[in-house]
């Protein structure tokens, strides 16, 4: 039996309001993972773009 099967069996036994809370929590976990993936991508790009962002010609924009 997979984890998904065990979760399914457990949620089936819950009253509807609690099952909805489980569903909301699953959505939260998925959203958190998606944000982490985006954060990793942004961090990876930041290093390669640093020379473009941080240069003497653009100092005037640093305090904007």
């Amino acid at each position: 039996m997979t984890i998904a099967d065990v979760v399914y069996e457990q949620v089936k036994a819950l009253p509807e309001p609690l099952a909805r809370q489980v569903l909301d929590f699953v959505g939260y976990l998925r959203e958190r993972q998606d944000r982490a993936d985006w954060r990793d991508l942004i961090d990876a790009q930041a290093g390669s773009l640093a020379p473009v962002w941080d240069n003497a010609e653009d100092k005037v924009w640093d305090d904007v």
Side-chain angles (χ1 to χ4, degrees):
M1 186 174 274
T2 68
I3 296 291
D5 294 332
V6 174
V7 171
Y8 174 70
E9 291 301 322
Q10 292 291 318
V11 173
K12 274 193 339 185
L14 292 175
E16 186 72 18
L18 292 178
R20 287 191 180 278
Q21 286 183 13
V22 172
L23 183 60
D24 287 344
F25 184 66
V26 169
Y28 161 75
L29 292 175
R30 293 183 69 177
E31 179 69 24
R32 187 175 73 173
Q33 182 60 48
D34 290 347
R35 287 182 186 205
D37 292 345
W38 276 107
R39 195 174 322 111
D40 290 345
L41 178 61
I42 290 168
D43 290 346
Q45 292 174 341
S48 63
L49 291 174
V52 175
W53 292 333
D54 298 329
N55 60 63
E57 296 171 2
D58 293 337
K59 285 285 184 202
V60 68
W61 297 105
D62 288 350
D63 297 324
V64 176

